[in-house]
Amino acid sequence: MPMRHSLLPALVASSFLFLAACASPPKEQPPAAGNPQLELKLASGTYNCEQRVRIQVRREVRDKVNYRINLVWNGDTYRLERDPSHSGLPRFEDSASGLVWIDLPWKSMLLDGKTGKPLVNECRPA
């Protein structure tokens, strides 16, 4: 009987270790100001997206850096500012509307920044 009681502390400790391993990771901090951001050669103009959606993108470049885009979607124009991303990929956001435009080398997408859900995906220059 004394043998079973000596195992109890070990079982409790291992349970806590297991629970700690299953916990969700802490929220990531925003990228540091020195985080290198990628500058991809991306087109301005019409982007054809899934479900026959068309988006107009006009890129504003200063000193070889795409720092802002003007985006026309659903008949409205939005001004999205470059927002540093953890991955370094071009990410633009309009804080007023909550729209987020992300450029990947092979496609772009428009997200609802409040929920993180895609609004329009598979966008490619026409």
Side-chain angles (χ1 to χ4, degrees), residues 77-124:
T77 301
Y78 304 91
R79 175 175 247 152
L80 287 77
E81 302 290 332
R82 179 80 178 253
D83 186 25
S85 67
H86 288 284
S87 66
L89 290 169
R91 180 186 190 282
F92 301 88
E93 184 171 6
D94 175 21
S95 57
S97 67
L99 292 179
V100 173
W101 178 261
I102 297 177
D103 287 311
L104 301 170
W106 58 92
K107 71 174 184 176
S108 297
M109 64 186 79
L110 186 64
L111 306 172
D112 178 336
K114 296 170 185 162
T115 64
K117 293 185 179 179
L119 298 169
V120 183
N121 202 352
E122 301 295 330
C123 300
R124 293 177 177 83

Side-chain angles (χ1 to χ4, degrees), residues 33-53:
N35 186 30
Q37 298 294 296
L38 299 173
E39 282 306 319
L40 307 174
K41 286 202 168 221
L42 300 164
S44 286
T46 302
Y47 278 68
N48 293 326
C49 309
E50 67 184 358
Q51 299 175 351
R52 299 181 185 246
V53 174

